[in-house]
Each structure stands twice: as C-alpha cells, then as structure tokens.
Amino acid sequence: MFEGLSRLIERRPRRLLIVVGVLVLVALGIGGSSLSKMTMGLDDYDDQSSSSVKVLKDVEQATGADLEQGYVVLVKTDHPIDPHSLQRPEVVQRAIDVLKERPEVKSVMDYASLKDSRMLAGDGEETYLVATVSSFKPGDAPKKAVNALLAAIDDDPELKNSVTLGGPTAANVEGSDMSSKDLGEAESIGFPILLILLLFIFRGVVAALIPLGGAICAVSVSLGLMGMVMTTVHVSVFALNLVLALGIGLSIDFSLLVISRFREELSRGLSTVEALDRTRATAGRTVLFSGMTVAAALASLLVFPQRFLYSMGIAGITTTLGALFFALIGLPALLSALGPRINTWSPKRWQRAAEAPEERGRWYRFSQGVMKRPVSVAIGAGAVLILLGVPFLGIKFTGIDSASMPEDSKAGTVYQTLDKNFPGSLQSPAYLIHKGPSDAGPELAEYAESLGKIDGVAAVAPPRKLSDGLWETDVSLKQAPLSLDAQHTLKEIKNAKAPYPTVATGNTALFRAMQDSIGSHLPVAIAITVVTTLLILFAMTGSVILPLKAAITNLLTLSATFGILVLIFQNGYLAGLLDFHSQGALQPTMLVILFALALGVSTDYSVFLLSRIKEGVELGVPNGEAVATGLQKVGRITTFAALLFCIPLGALTLSRLVFIKQLGLGTALAVIIDATLVRALLVPSLMALFGNSNWWSPGPLRRFHTRFFSGFRESEAPSAPATMGATSGTLR
C-alpha cells in the first residue's frame, strides 16, 4: 500500500520535505486570501428551504429590507423625553441622521414615527431606534458595515457616550470578533502549557516540536482546501475555531503514535529504514484508519442545510486530511532524515523510557485486574455512564442571538437594557407576513387586535402594506424570542385563524424552523456516522463484534457528555466558575457538531487500542494477553493524547460566548470520559467477556475481508485461525 511512497521517503527524504514545505506555503497563501470571503451572517443558521426563510425574500423584494438583519440603537438623553412633542431631542435626531446616512439602512423607526410611547423608558431618559437594513453580500460585508457605523458614532462627540449599537447584525459581528479574539487569548494561555506537556510526554525537545510543525501543516492544508471549496460554496467564519483546535489535536495524536512506534522499533536494533518501514506498516495504517473515522464522523455534518453546520463538516474533513498528509508523508520523511537523532536534546533516562516501553507495566497489571472481574467492572462503568446521561432526558434548546451575548458587550447591553426597561420592545418581534389584496387593511386590523389577546403577546403593531399583495404585522412577545415560552406563544399565533395566507418569520420562527430542519436531517447524519464507522472498523479488524461494541460505548460516552452539559449550561451548575450566565437551555447546532466531533475522536482512540490488540492476536497471542499487552503499549499514548487533545479544544471554554464554551467543554469531557471509563474499564472488561468471539464475523464477510482488506493487517505474521475465526468463546 505504501511501497511507492516508502521508496521515495527512503531515497529522497529531504527533497520530499522541501516539497511538503512548498505545498504548505501554497495552501496557506490560498487559504489566507480566502479568509475575507468567509460569511458571518445570520443566515448561516438558516435552512433556505423553510417557509420562514423564503418569506424573507418576498419582503426584501418588496421593501429592500432583510427582516433577519437590522440595528437596534439605545440612546440616552440628558433630560426626559416628552412623547407628545413633535420635536425630538437633538441627540435622538442626530442618531437617526447617522443611521439614515448608512447605505445599508432602509428605514429608521422611533417613538415619534410610530407614535409609540413604549419606546421610551419609564423615566423618559432612554429610548431606542430600530433600523431595517438590506441584505449583505457573503463575506465580511456585515463587519465592514457595522465597523463603519461604530466609527461614525465614535466620531460624533454628541453620540459617543450616549449611543450604544446593538441588534441582530451588530450582535453577530461582535460575536464573531469576540470569538476570534477569545480563541487567540485562549490559545496563548494554552500554548505554553501544551509545550511543557509535549516536552514531558514526547521525552525530548526535537520530538516535542514535531507535532507543532504538524499542526502548522494541518491548519495550512485545511485553509488551502477550504479556499478552493469557497470558490463554489460559502463557508462560515466560525469554522476557523474548529480548524485550529482540531488541527493541533489530531497532529499531536498522530505524531505521538507514529513517533512512539518508531522509537520502539529503533530500540529493537532495527536500522532507520527498517524501523520506518515497520512503523508505516503498523502505526501508519492505524493513523490512516483513525483519520478516516474522524473524517467520516465530521462528514455527517454535510447533510445539514445550515451553512454553520456544513461549514464545520468541511473544516473537519479538510483539517483531518491535512493532519493525515503530515502524518503519512511529512512525518515519515522527517523521521527518515532524523533517524536516531529523534532523541536529540533528550535526557538518557527519558530516551530509555521512550525507546523501551515496559512490557508488563502499570497498564498491563491494571488491565489484568480489570479482566479478572469483567462482569462487575463492565456493569459498574456502564452504570456510571448511564447515570451521567440521565439529565440529557430533560434537555431544552435555545439559539444564538443578542440574548446569548455577554452582558458587558455592546449588543448584550442593548438587549439586557431593552428587556429590563422596555417591556414588549420591538428589538426582536415576530413578523407575520400576509398575502392579501390592497383593501385587506380592515380585516388584518381586526386580526391584529385578536392577536393582542393571546397570553404571551406584549403588543401588536398595526398592519402595514409592503407592496401590492403583501402586508406585514409585527407582534412583540413578552418573553425572550428563543425561549420555550416565546415558541409556545408563536404556536398560539399560528393557530389563530388569519383572514389571508400568513407566514411567521423573525427570530422565534426562524429558530423553530432551524430546530425542525435539524431534527429532520439528524437521522441521516447519525446513520452516515454509524454506518461508516462500522465499515471502517470492520475493514481494520475483520470483526463485526468489535465495531458494534465501539458504536455502543461511543454512544454511552456521548450521552454522559450531554448529560453533564445539561447540568452545567442548562441547570447553571459551575456558572460562576466558568463565568457564564445560563440561558436555561443548550444550543442545538453545537450539540450536533459535538456529536460528530466526539464520536470521531472516541473512535479515533478505539482504533489506536484495537490495532495494537489485533497485532498481538495476529501473532498468535491469546486474547487476554493481547488485550493486556496492547493496553500497556498504547495506554500511555492514548491517555496523554487525550490530555493534549483537551488543551486546544478545552481552551475554547475560556471564550465569553456560551455556545463556544459548550463546544470546548463538551469535547474535552467526551475525550476524558472515553479515555477513563471507556478505554481503561469498559474495553478490557468487554474484551475479556467476549473472548475469542471478539473477532467473529460470518463466513461470507470473513472471506470478503480476507480478499479485499488483507493489506490492512497489523502484523506480517499469519493470523491464528482459532483466534481470528473465533470458533470458541472461551477467554484464552
């Protein structure tokens, strides 16, 4: 499989490294030039086929305004505002003028234009303006528009300390900037910790620096591939968070596995060429299967129509390909050039530990202890996982809007102020779009009046004609637009009999449409993930039992992770420690991403362990001994790989955005649970319980595997028929 590449690496390793370096620079150039094309619009979360999204296009065609976007401007005055006066205070008028000067602004509404005193605070010294805007071109157009408006406000001495910009467009841009800034700060904190751990775990300076080079390679290749994808498909800017974190994590995982095996083979007296050949035939194949499982899991995100989700799928696949490119091509070339110098700047004691791992050390003894009591260990570990997953049964969902912004942000300040001081504000109403004739006004007015009687409705604005055949009625809700109460109120509104065909849109309706869309596509995504994982693990092991066990244990890991997230982010436990304000619910798109990412990483570590166990079995080692020896050889690797993987992804927990915290902490939890309860306890106990049956598969499948996947065996020695055939279920 790797013969051609092997010859190239052996003969021209330095030349190959130069080629890899040039490709990385080219990819980085392509990716860097495409960053400005990444989207940060609110429509990143929309399913374009839903009626709530389609009606937005009708309104925009009629008025030029995009109801999903918009500005909400909070204005403070020195003196109370008289709602009956025709003269606006100078600061209010100046704020209106600045908004109208912006090319994207289509209309500005205030207390005077709407004759609505509810747009004034109780003391009369605060008011807010609502500006509708046109849709933005994909890319950084929203950011440029918001920054230009902020600059205009700051440059005006009268507005600088009296006006705060919020609303959906400003919140989305501010959230994107905050995400990038927080990611940079988090990685600056995590990087020194990561570097120290790398020195300790890789047992040498040269070896420790290699995965960092791999991370640069993986991220660069990912950005280059994404740049090419963006010539035909728009990609969300939030995908960059995953590229950086996953690129670092996978590069460390793959490098740790390959370098550890290379050192092990060198310690046996093999030459550099022989050690490298053996490493590629074993660890190299393991890395290939591992990368395939991660990519397959993240590929499931491509079935979702939301740009935010399929962008994460694209980012995950391209980053995994970048990590594989380094692990299978760049790293072998580097090891060929270094040879025994891989241990340069490494203490002798560390070198001996790295080159000659114990055959029967702590992991061996621990696994033997587990396998002596397989039933009690399996039941105990499974019970803990199930117990941790129980809170998941009471999960609630919310979305991403101004309410999810930190209170000290501009958009968060505007939202919290309006929510507190302006009951029934128009900052996030439900828009009801009616298709009716030009004389539909009276009937729609009666309909609007009836809606005002629904519990949960704060106010209903008079219907207004948008164009021939199109009308709009704005309904203010008492509760936060993404809350369960708001969704219930919207349902009541939809159930009310309208005189003409009516479609609801706005934050509440769009969030409901997103939930329905995710729910309808989720079974397909799960099926893709499970089926591809089962097929890849079957190709690697030749067993139908091991893939099924891996799928079950991975689902237990996920349920436990989701259960803990419910306790923390929905119920508010550790809110003070993690510095966030609980919204009483979780963000569904983040859970979908976490599902794919955690499942991929969990299977990744399964591959690491099963490949080493399979290697022993193929050499005729009894099942129990192969499990203990395999865990001894990779237990340290998988544990430290999990620890290192948690640092770049766990660093996302430091973000001020609660949904980014959920992704970072959730991934870290999944990795920790998998490395402890699953890999250390469940896997060896279940391997002991199933014995030789672990490797069973029906005759036709066994023959199919022998014919088409024999090249993926971990050992050059012939397999033991009694073991691989699994004719007996006795633990040997």
Side-chain angles (χ1 to χ4, degrees):
M1 179 181 177
F2 297 110
E3 290 181 3
L5 183 60
S6 298
R7 288 194 295 270
L8 179 62
I9 292 173
E10 291 167 6
R11 296 174 183 174
R12 300 285 190 272
R14 290 177 176 82
R15 186 171 298 179
L16 183 58
L17 284 174
I18 293 174
V19 173
V20 170
V22 171
L23 289 175
V24 167
L25 290 175
V26 171
L28 189 59
I30 295 173
S33 64
S34 303
L35 292 180
S36 62
K37 299 177 183 178
M38 302 189 82
T39 65
M40 58 179 67
L42 292 165
D43 58 348
D44 282 359
Y45 305 93
D46 291 341
D47 180 351
Q48 299 297 323
S49 65
S50 72
S51 59
S52 295
V53 175
K54 288 180 177 179
V55 77
L56 291 173
K57 306 300 181 184
D58 296 333
V59 174
E60 185 175 3
Q61 186 175 4
T63 66
D66 182 352
L67 294 182
E68 193 172 11
Q69 302 280 354
Y71 302 131
V72 178
V73 178
L74 183 65
V75 183
K76 294 184 178 180
T77 61
D78 295 330
H79 304 286
I81 300 173
D82 181 2
H84 305 294
S85 173
L86 298 178
Q87 187 72 26
R88 297 183 178 95
E90 187 174 350
V91 66
V92 175
Q93 186 59 55
R94 181 60 190 144
I96 293 173
D97 293 340
V98 168
L99 285 170
K100 288 184 175 180
E101 289 171 2
R102 293 297 310 152
E104 73 273 10
V105 172
K106 294 300 179 182
S107 65
V108 180
M109 295 170 282
D110 72 326
Y111 71 94
S113 62
L114 295 179
K115 297 180 175 59
D116 190 346
S117 61
R118 290 172 300 184
M119 297 182 73
L120 299 174
D123 59 5
E125 294 186 359
E126 279 184 316
T127 186
Y128 69 93
L129 316 174
V130 178
T132 61
V133 300
S134 58
S135 60
F136 296 97
K137 293 181 179 179
D140 60 355
K143 182 175 182 178
K144 290 180 178 178
V146 169
N147 288 341
L149 180 53
L150 287 171
I153 292 172
D154 288 340
D155 291 342
D156 192 315
E158 189 173 356
L159 301 181
K160 185 174 183 179
N161 298 318
S162 302
V163 169
T164 307
L165 178 63
T169 302
N172 198 55
V173 170
E174 190 175 11
S176 175
D177 290 342
M178 192 177 294
S179 172
S180 300
K181 183 179 179 181
D182 289 351
L183 179 63
E185 292 178 353
E187 297 301 343
S188 67
I189 295 172
F191 186 79
I193 300 173
L194 188 65
L195 185 58
I196 293 171
L197 289 175
L198 284 172
L199 288 171
F200 172 73
I201 294 169
F202 279 82
R203 303 182 188 275
V205 176
V206 173
L209 293 176
I210 288 176
L212 298 181
I216 294 173
C217 176
V219 171
S220 300
V221 170
S222 176
L223 292 177
L225 293 174
M226 288 173 65
M228 290 187 283
V229 169
M230 281 188 280
T231 58
T232 56
V233 177
H234 297 307
V235 176
S236 172
V237 71
F238 283 100
L240 294 178
N241 291 331
L242 185 61
V243 169
L244 183 58
L246 188 62
I248 295 174
L250 288 181
S251 296
I252 291 173
D253 281 1
F254 295 165
S255 297
L256 184 56
L257 187 67
V258 172
I259 292 174
S260 297
R261 188 60 185 250
F262 180 67
R263 282 170 155 173
E264 183 181 333
E265 299 301 336
L266 285 177
S267 71
R268 294 176 177 174
L270 299 182
S271 66
T272 297
V273 172
E274 292 171 332
L276 197 56
D277 284 343
R278 183 61 184 155
T279 299
R280 281 196 305 270
T282 53
R285 287 169 176 159
T286 300
V287 164
L288 177 61
F289 279 113
S290 175
M292 289 169 61
T293 59
V294 175
L298 290 165
S300 64
L301 298 176
L302 298 180
V303 307
F304 294 96
Q306 288 81 8
R307 186 182 302 135
F308 182 82
L309 288 177
Y310 71 67
S311 294
M312 293 296 183
I314 293 171
I317 294 171
T318 56
T319 305
T320 305
L321 291 176
L324 284 175
F325 173 72
F326 174 76
L328 299 179
I329 298 177
L331 181 54
L334 187 57
L335 293 178
S336 178
L338 287 173
R341 287 176 295 176
I342 185 68
N343 294 316
T344 303
W345 294 337
S346 173
K348 291 294 183 182
R349 182 168 59 86
W350 282 15
Q351 288 185 37
R352 289 193 295 271
E355 294 173 355
E358 295 179 272
E359 290 296 325
R360 297 195 174 189
R362 283 173 290 183
W363 281 104
Y364 180 92
R365 294 190 295 272
F366 179 83
S367 61
Q368 287 285 21
V370 169
M371 289 188 288
K372 287 179 181 178
R373 298 173 292 276
V375 175
S376 58
V377 172
I379 292 175
V384 172
L385 289 171
I386 293 172
L387 184 63
L388 289 174
V390 169
F392 181 49
L393 298 175
I395 192 170
K396 300 176 183 177
F397 299 108
T398 187
I400 299 173
D401 67 350
S402 300
S404 63
M405 295 292 292
E407 294 184 11
D408 59 350
S409 65
K410 289 184 173 66
T413 297
V414 171
Y415 180 87
Q416 297 297 335
T417 301
L418 265 63
D419 187 55
K420 179 180 178 181
N421 299 339
F422 299 84
S425 66
L426 293 173
Q427 66 168 325
S428 188
Y431 301 104
L432 303 181
I433 310 302
H434 320 282
K435 292 187 177 181
S438 299
D439 59 353
E443 289 181 272
L444 289 175
E446 291 181 11
Y447 168 68
E449 185 178 352
S450 68
L451 294 179
K453 299 175 183 178
I454 295 176
D455 187 29
V457 172
V460 182
R464 58 193 182 97
K465 184 179 178 182
L466 301 179
S467 66
D468 289 340
L470 202 65
W471 293 74
E472 177 185 331
T473 302
D474 297 346
V475 181
S476 300
L477 308 179
K478 292 180 180 179
Q479 303 297 328
L482 304 185
S483 65
L484 290 175
D485 289 337
Q487 294 176 52
H488 177 74
T489 302
L490 180 65
K491 184 177 180 180
E492 294 293 317
I493 292 172
K494 289 181 177 180
N495 290 336
K497 187 176 181 179
Y500 299 100
T502 299
V503 176
T505 189
N507 276 8
T508 308
L510 291 170
F511 176 62
R512 180 71 259 173
M514 181 187 74
Q515 284 186 289
D516 292 341
S517 175
I518 290 176
S520 64
H521 290 86
L522 190 58
V524 178
I526 293 175
I528 291 174
T529 304
V530 172
V531 170
T532 53
T533 299
L534 292 176
L535 290 175
I536 292 171
L537 289 179
F538 169 74
M540 189 192 82
T541 64
S543 165
V544 297
I545 301 298
L546 291 175
L548 289 174
K549 287 198 300 182
I552 293 171
T553 55
N554 287 344
L555 291 177
L556 286 174
T557 299
L558 280 172
S559 67
T561 301
F562 289 163
I564 296 174
L565 289 181
V566 168
L567 291 175
I568 294 175
F569 290 102
Q570 181 172 305
N571 297 347
Y573 295 105
L574 304 182
L577 179 64
L578 296 177
D579 190 25
F580 72 93
H581 175 71
S582 174
Q583 295 177 270
L586 298 179
Q587 214 284 324
T589 55
M590 282 301 167
L591 293 181
V592 173
I593 296 168
L594 179 58
F595 163 80
L597 184 58
L599 196 62
V601 174
S602 297
T603 309
D604 177 36
Y605 295 138
S606 294
V607 170
F608 284 9
L609 179 56
L610 291 176
S611 64
R612 206 65 194 249
I613 295 174
K614 178 173 179 279
E615 183 177 347
V617 171
E618 287 178 343
L619 292 171
V621 177
N623 181 76
E625 182 69 14
V627 173
T629 304
L631 193 59
Q632 170 61 32
K633 291 180 177 179
V634 299
R636 176 183 179 274
I637 293 174
T638 55
T639 300
F640 283 133
L643 175 62
L644 293 172
F645 195 90
C646 285
I647 292 176
L649 281 160
L652 299 178
T653 307
L654 300 177
S655 174
R656 287 171 288 172
L657 299 174
V658 67
F659 57 93
I660 298 294
K661 285 181 183 288
Q662 290 175 17
L663 178 62
L665 182 61
T667 307
L669 284 171
V671 170
I672 292 170
I673 291 171
D674 184 79
T676 53
L677 290 173
V678 175
R679 300 294 150 236
L681 297 175
L682 264 184
V683 169
S685 61
L686 292 176
M687 292 291 288
L689 284 173
F690 280 79
N692 291 334
S693 297
N694 285 302
W695 309 100
W696 179 85
S697 62
L701 284 180
R702 189 163 58 251
R703 289 189 292 272
F704 175 84
H705 183 271
T706 301
R707 179 176 180 182
F708 293 101
F709 297 110
S710 58
F712 291 117
R713 292 175 54 211
E714 299 298 318
S715 172
E716 300 302 327
S719 59
T723 304
M724 299 305 290
T727 57
S728 171
T730 305
L731 176 61
R732 292 171 51 191

